[in-house]
Amino acid sequence: MSGMPAPSIPNLLTLRGARGGSGARGRMRGRGGSQSSGAGAVATSMPSHDATIQGTDTDAAVSRMSAVDLGYLEDQYARFFVQAPPPTGAAVRRLPIINRGTYTRTTALDNLIGAFLSATEGQDRQVVSLGAGTDTRPFRLFKDKNYAKLIYHEVDFPTVTDRKCHLTKAIPALRAVIPKADVIDQTHTWRDEEVPNASQYWCHGLDLRDLSKPGETPTEVPGLQKDLPTLLISECCLCYLETTEASKVMQYFTDRIPRLALVIYEPIHPNDPFGKQMVSNLAARRIRMPTLEKFTSTNEQEARLRDAGFSSVHSLTIERIWEDWVSSEEKERVDALEGLDEVEEWNLLADHYSVSWGWRGITLDGWRLGSS
């Protein structure tokens, strides 16, 4: 399935002064940025912060392409979302530790999304991806005949979704999967309600903060089906909202959809030396992760999901997922691609990211089948 919305795990090695990479990036798309929350914050700072967040999607696409080029992942659509290589013609190649991180994060979300799709097989069902950016997952899922009756929503900033719409219309391989990129009126939402296998695709250009503005009627997500089993995905997206805003976005969906599952990928452990350096370097780039300050461990991520109303919750670090979910044969295959000398650094990096998931009204117990 995915070169997972397989962007990269942020390259925190550069935050420690190590070689290579492109700095800490997260998958920071379409979520609305979190401006400074202090009393002296000015509204004019918000657009530049949002622009910084949007710009990280380029790095996500490059990291995904690096993992695909080297054989970690299979994704025939990844190359369409990467800008032309430099004059030398050489593709950007990430460090082995980053490629492994991209692979492991991809494996985790593929496993959980697969569990949701298996649990709802034969039914109409729905996936909502927050901050989707240039993620190729819908193209890959729609191409797979096993995943019928799927309504797939992506949400991001309008500038990001408009570009994705343009590329989908312009590139034959993308247009073959989503042939009718129809814009709704003059909005930034476009859709194809005639995807093969009785599926639909919706791409929404909107700011998640508009879903829950105090004192205002919330923006509704066009085409969202409230009576279907639904999987909500946030890959380094909600972490860029203030914690109250992130909770309200989650509440927007929990209030409307009884049968709901949620998967969150975010950094954790900000208070040890590695985490402090990460936070400091992000701050130097005018980036802040409010939820990182509050939900600092897998236990706190699980408590967060319980508080949101999910009856069954789990959270694991990327390090633990690599150890427990990837078979020994697959580890050997991945190791043979490049080899990894920085085992200590890998363990440190992978311990600072977690995948958390919960559900109510449906079950994701099938995830256990994918773990070793």
Side-chain angles (χ1 to χ4, degrees):
M1 190 199 303
S2 161
M4 197 112 165
S8 74
I9 285 186
N11 186 357
L12 301 187
L13 292 181
T14 58
L15 300 179
R16 306 170 63 218
R19 68 198 186 285
S22 59
R25 61 147 250 71
R27 183 157 179 239
M28 316 177 202
R29 353 213 193 287
R31 46 324 272 165
S34 68
Q35 68 264 45
S36 173
S37 57
V42 291
T44 54
S45 68
M46 188 165 60
S48 62
H49 183 272
D50 287 356
T52 298
I53 291 175
Q54 294 171 51
T56 62
D57 187 55
T58 298
D59 188 69
V62 170
S63 294
R64 181 170 60 235
M65 195 68 248
S66 174
V68 171
D69 278 344
L70 292 165
Y72 286 86
L73 303 168
E74 293 184 10
D75 186 345
Q76 69 186 93
Y77 304 105
R79 62 190 177 94
F80 300 121
F81 296 99
V82 177
Q83 296 178 354
T88 59
V92 175
R93 180 167 176 167
R94 296 296 192 223
L95 291 170
I97 193 173
I98 303 305
N99 291 324
R100 179 182 286 191
T102 300
Y103 166 84
T104 308
R105 168 227 197 110
T106 296
T107 297
L109 270 82
D110 282 354
N111 202 23
L112 292 168
I113 293 169
F116 169 77
L117 293 173
S118 294
T120 57
E121 186 175 3
Q123 307 175 47
D124 291 329
R125 58 274 181 86
Q126 184 170 243
V127 171
V128 182
S129 179
L130 306 179
T134 56
D135 185 16
T136 60
R137 174 171 282 109
F139 297 96
R140 288 177 277 106
L141 287 178
F142 290 141
K143 194 73 172 176
D144 190 331
K145 294 181 180 179
N146 293 319
Y147 300 129
K149 299 184 178 181
L150 174 62
I151 303 174
Y152 201 104
H153 296 265
E154 295 189 304
V155 183
D156 213 316
F157 288 111
T159 53
V160 177
T161 59
D162 288 352
R163 178 174 178 269
K164 195 165 192 176
C165 180
H166 173 76
L167 288 172
T168 301
K169 287 181 174 181
I171 298 173
L174 300 179
R175 195 168 62 245
V177 181
I178 300 177
K180 296 183 179 180
D182 296 329
V183 177
I184 299 178
D185 300 324
Q186 299 301 311
T187 69
H188 290 283
T189 286
W190 53 285
R191 65 187 174 183
D192 186 341
E193 296 187 83
E194 298 180 17
V195 177
N197 302 318
S199 294
Q200 299 179 27
Y201 175 71
W202 295 72
C203 189
H204 309 280
L206 59 86
D207 189 326
L208 291 178
R209 291 167 292 197
D210 292 340
L211 299 181
S212 58
K213 285 187 175 179
E216 296 185 18
T217 302
T219 298
E220 294 295 331
V221 178
L224 185 69
Q225 302 294 311
K226 301 170 186 177
D227 59 341
L228 297 184
T230 299
L231 175 64
L232 183 65
I233 302 170
S234 169
E235 288 188 79
C236 270
C237 172
L238 294 176
C239 57
Y240 294 97
L241 297 175
E242 296 296 331
T243 53
T244 54
E245 292 174 332
S247 295
K248 287 178 180 177
V249 170
M250 291 167 61
Q251 185 179 356
Y252 177 93
F253 293 96
T254 57
D255 282 351
R256 288 164 174 76
I257 304 173
R259 292 179 291 167
L260 183 67
L262 170 66
V263 176
I264 296 178
Y265 166 78
E266 289 186 358
I268 54 173
H269 299 156
N271 298 319
D272 62 17
F274 187 91
K276 288 178 179 178
Q277 189 63 51
M278 170 181 72
V279 172
S280 174
N281 282 271
L282 287 171
R285 297 178 58 198
R286 303 179 67 185
I287 294 174
R288 176 172 160 254
M289 300 181 183
T291 65
L292 174 59
E293 301 165 12
K294 184 172 178 62
F295 309 113
T296 64
S297 67
T298 53
N299 287 339
E300 289 173 349
Q301 288 284 358
E302 289 182 352
R304 172 192 190 183
L305 297 188
R306 288 192 193 96
D307 290 344
F310 292 96
S311 56
S312 299
V313 300
H314 299 271
S315 184
L316 293 175
T317 64
I318 288 294
E319 178 187 23
R320 179 78 181 280
I321 287 170
W322 166 260
E323 291 298 331
D324 293 352
W325 289 22
V326 181
S327 69
S328 56
E329 294 79 11
E330 183 65 1
K331 284 189 180 79
E332 289 180 10
R333 184 192 73 83
V334 170
D335 286 339
L337 296 173
E338 296 183 283
L340 184 70
D341 297 328
E342 310 95 338
V343 175
E344 240 181 86
E345 290 178 320
W346 159 253
N347 291 335
L348 185 61
L349 173 68
D351 188 54
H352 280 75
Y353 286 84
S354 67
V355 176
S356 308
W357 65 101
W359 64 85
R360 67 176 194 192
I362 52 178
T363 180
L364 289 190
D365 278 340
W367 69 270
R368 300 178 187 279
L369 300 178
S371 55
S372 57

